[in-house]
Amino acid sequence: MQRLKDKYKDYFKIGAEVNSWTIKSHADLITTHFNSITCENEMKPISLAPEEGRFTFERADEIYDFAVKNDLGVRGHTFVWHNQTPDWIFNVKDREELLERLKNYIAVVGGRYRDKVYCWDAVNEAIEDKTDLVLRQSKWLEKLGEHYMDDVFRIAKEVLPEKEFFYNDYNETNPVKRKKIYDTVKGMLDRGVPVDGIGMQMHINIYGPSIDELKSALELYASLNLRIHVTEMDVSMFEFNDHTRLDNPPAELIEKQAQVYADYFKVFREYKDHIDCVTLWGVADDMTWLDNFPVPRRKNWPLLFDVNHNPKEAFYRILEF
Ligand code: HXH
């Protein structure tokens, strides 16, 4: 069988989201087809620094050791986010103290995983998608002010000068949101802030977004002259507001999904000069966050390998070129 990472070696890295369980249960698929991994939760602040003065590295270390042993690159995910971040970090007297904490956190975590982690999502999901506000309300914004992303990227680059730092977000092809993302990152670049790339999460479904929307978003981000990573791709069988349950994926939906993967990867290949990595948010359909999001305990089949770890139609189709 062809290996994804070999077929795509002249295009971009092929990544998978993993966790402490799947590096064991899905080890064969991960090491056969992928050359990059992202931790689902294990490198988030809540996992690494749950309490003041105490780091908990065990689970992240386990995954990192797996990466070292199998020579996989790691996408670091994530430093600054409004979710999965412990409250203690915000108990500070002023802005300076919070920046000091952030710098220490990045130095400790970034330093520990320096060899295999080739980039970090410096900031995740900072942009508002519902209202016409640009920045999402968050403790980071509250405590550090409207240019807080400038601080984060500057500190990260100062501490880890040889790494790449990304702004990562979802709904990133939506015309309104992508303009906000573009304007925000453009503003940072104009102020001389060292942003290296944009992470497009790419949580899509079999009904969209369209290829035209994908291309427009890629054009817009590529025009910033930054690197682009597809960071969390999966293709849900359901539209976001559809709460239908299915026992098994109908053949026509599996085919539709294969076509979406084929069309998207074709465009990714066309943008290979801009895209350095395409990561799937999971390995196989037996373990996906979409089984609990947005509908709890509703089975979904969004990935390239089925529940028995066999390649799906989508897998074969992205190898057809
Ligand atoms: C990603 N968020 C995160 O980057 C990743 O760290 C996490 O493990 C999984 C997915 C995607 C996401 C974004 C917003 C969101 C849910 C998931 O919030 C919503 C909540 C309700 C309705 C719509 C969006």
Side-chain angles (χ1 to χ4, degrees):
M1 195 201 298
Q2 292 199 80
R3 297 169 178 234
L4 278 177
K5 64 179 172 193
D6 294 341
K7 183 79 181 178
Y8 277 90
K9 73 175 181 349
D10 297 329
Y11 292 83
F12 32 72
K13 290 191 181 72
I14 302 284
E17 170 256 286
V18 304
N19 57 44
S20 358
W21 180 259
T22 59
I23 55 165
K24 301 187 175 89
S25 56
H26 297 58
D28 281 354
L29 284 179
I30 297 165
T31 57
T32 301
H33 292 289
F34 301 90
N35 44 19
S36 176
I37 57 173
T38 306
C39 293
E40 179 176 25
N41 293 309
E42 292 77 355
M43 289 191 184
K44 290 171 179 172
I46 193 76
S47 305
L48 292 173
E51 290 161 26
E52 183 164 7
R54 188 168 70 93
F55 281 95
T56 44
F57 291 121
E58 293 77 11
R59 280 162 188 269
D61 280 0
E62 239 189 299
I63 296 176
Y64 188 76
D65 292 345
F66 177 83
V68 170
K69 192 168 138 236
N70 295 293
D71 196 25
L72 304 166
V74 180
R75 286 198 87 260
H77 177 72
T78 179
F79 288 147
V80 167
W81 191 22
H82 63 284
N83 273 329
Q84 292 181 263
T85 301
D87 274 336
W88 69 262
I89 203 159
F90 302 107
N91 294 333
V92 288
K93 61 178 183 312
D94 56 16
R95 187 183 132 79
E96 295 317 312
E97 192 180 2
L98 181 51
L99 290 174
E100 204 46 50
R101 282 189 177 180
L102 177 65
K103 185 172 179 178
N104 180 59
Y105 179 87
I106 294 176
V108 171
V109 171
R112 187 178 186 92
Y113 301 124
R114 205 159 193 152
D115 287 346
K116 301 306 271 185
V117 176
Y118 57 95
C119 68
W120 277 96
D121 291 326
V123 180
N124 196 33
E125 303 176 348
I127 290 170
E128 175 59 55
D129 42 345
K130 289 180 213 81
T131 65
D132 34 305
L133 286 178
V134 174
L135 287 181
R136 176 196 299 278
Q137 202 47 246
S138 79
K139 289 254 174 75
W140 291 109
L141 173 59
E142 239 170 73
K143 299 269 175 188
L144 295 180
E146 64 162 337
H147 286 160
Y148 77 95
M149 289 211 270
D150 295 19
D151 298 313
V152 179
F153 280 85
R154 286 193 165 119
I155 289 172
K157 195 56 117 187
E158 188 193 330
V159 174
L160 303 164
E162 80 283 14
K163 300 300 175 193
E164 287 190 325
F165 297 99
F166 282 73
Y167 175 74
N168 189 47
D169 214 332
Y170 64 93
N171 282 350
E172 70 287 348
T173 61
N174 173 283
V176 176
K177 180 125 175 224
R178 77 187 179 218
K179 176 82 166 51
K180 292 185 194 174
I181 296 173
Y182 172 88
D183 289 345
T184 303
V185 174
K186 174 83 164 56
M188 292 167 74
L189 294 171
D190 290 347
R191 291 190 293 278
V193 177
V195 183
D196 296 295
I198 296 198
M200 305 175 71
Q201 289 188 5
M202 218 65 87
H203 292 294
I204 63 171
N205 63 62
I206 58 175
Y207 306 100
S210 70
I211 288 298
D212 279 351
E213 262 190 83
L214 170 65
K215 284 186 179 167
S216 306
L218 281 167
E219 272 308 307
L220 187 65
Y221 298 141
S223 75
L224 289 170
N225 234 330
L226 292 174
R227 309 315 303 159
I228 295 173
H229 286 183
V230 173
T231 55
E232 309 186 10
M233 186 173 188
D234 44 24
V235 183
S236 170
M237 290 291 184
F238 308 99
E239 261 180 313
F240 194 79
N241 294 317
D242 176 4
H243 290 192
T244 311
R245 289 165 188 273
L246 297 170
D247 290 333
N248 288 294
E252 71 267 23
L253 297 193
I254 286 287
E255 169 54 30
K256 205 166 164 108
Q257 179 185 56
Q259 194 58 48
V260 170
Y261 267 112
D263 294 345
Y264 266 65
F265 269 74
K266 179 162 186 284
V267 175
F268 297 159
R269 292 193 299 274
E270 289 166 10
Y271 282 82
K272 76 178 174 72
D273 294 343
H274 302 275
I275 298 178
D276 296 323
C277 183
V278 175
T279 294
L280 281 294
W281 205 241
V283 183
D285 286 346
D286 56 325
M287 222 163 282
T288 159
W289 75 300
L290 291 177
D291 285 349
N292 284 294
F293 180 83
V295 183
R297 291 176 301 282
R298 189 266 308 268
K299 186 71 201 130
N300 209 324
W301 302 272
L303 297 163
L304 299 173
F305 298 92
D306 70 16
V307 294
N308 300 313
H309 297 196
N310 293 317
K312 293 161 67 181
E313 188 54 30
F315 169 86
Y316 295 110
R317 298 281 281 283
I318 65 172
L319 286 167
E320 266 172 32
F321 64 91

